[in-house]
Amino acid sequence: MSSPSEIRTQWARHNADLDTSPMELVGLLKRATGLHDRAVESLYAGSPLTPPEVDTLIPLRYATAPVIARRLAEQLGLSRAGVSKTLAKLERRGFIARRPNPADRRAALVTITPTSARAIDELFPRQLATEAELLTGLGKDREWVLKALGRLVNAMEERAGRG
């Protein structure tokens, strides 16, 4: 199997006018995401929730006030449509409740249910332990990686905001 650098070189050779520079960075991000997903996959076998649903519920677990879907989408860096679809599935299964927002009738206020809180309290600590184990190899480079990823997210958010 070719390395990301070799794949980029092949693409550049066959498409001289194509900027292939994003391939290495994006390829590494996708690989890291895939490795993470595989590491936590077994935690969700037989679970009432999927990893993306848990990701959606985590910010709601200890929220001090109901949240609107648009803010949740912004916080998670996801599309409004995707978050709305996930929330609809969670609502049908009794994991969240939505009620009209008195300040804006177009936006519903979202809260988690006790069933959801119990599921998150059981799943998320196990996920965190798995993630901690997965990241132990970073050692003293952990802070550097955090800063670099923070810089990456900031740069991407700035560009996305211009769209």
Side-chain angles (χ1 to χ4, degrees):
M1 185 170 184
S2 299
S3 73
S5 180
E6 291 169 329
I7 293 170
R8 178 182 174 200
T9 300
Q10 291 166 358
W11 270 86
R13 186 177 324 125
H14 295 284
N15 301 276
D17 295 334
L18 185 62
D19 177 10
T20 59
S21 62
M23 290 179 74
E24 288 176 288
L25 180 60
V26 173
L28 286 171
L29 289 171
K30 288 180 178 183
R31 182 156 170 78
T33 299
L35 291 166
H36 169 270
D37 292 350
R38 276 192 304 193
V40 300
E41 185 177 37
S42 65
L43 300 175
Y44 290 91
S47 168
L49 297 166
T50 65
E53 289 171 338
V54 168
D55 290 343
T56 302
L57 292 169
I58 287 169
L60 298 173
R61 174 60 179 104
Y62 292 109
T64 56
V67 177
I68 61 172
R70 184 179 78 242
R71 294 268 187 263
L72 187 58
E74 289 168 1
Q75 183 178 0
L76 295 170
L78 300 172
S79 72
R80 289 184 203 173
V83 168
S84 181
K85 191 175 186 179
T86 298
L87 290 174
K89 289 178 185 178
L90 289 167
E91 184 176 30
R92 281 192 300 273
R93 296 186 355 251
F95 286 100
I96 64 152
R98 290 196 258 197
R99 60 184 165 83
N101 182 351
D104 181 357
R105 292 302 228 182
R106 297 167 297 165
L109 299 174
V110 180
T111 56
I112 66 169
T113 64
T115 300
S116 181
R118 283 190 299 277
I120 292 297
D121 290 350
E122 203 264 290
L123 285 166
F124 192 53
R126 293 178 20 216
Q127 180 175 324
L128 284 174
T130 300
E131 291 167 343
E133 173 62 28
L134 194 61
L135 299 173
T136 58
L138 287 175
K140 62 181 177 141
D141 290 334
R142 186 175 194 279
E143 288 303 314
W144 179 86
V145 171
L146 278 172
K147 286 180 185 175
L149 287 172
R151 172 66 184 109
L152 174 64
V153 168
N154 287 340
M156 292 174 83
E157 285 177 338
E158 286 173 13
R159 296 306 271 178
R162 293 182 194 165

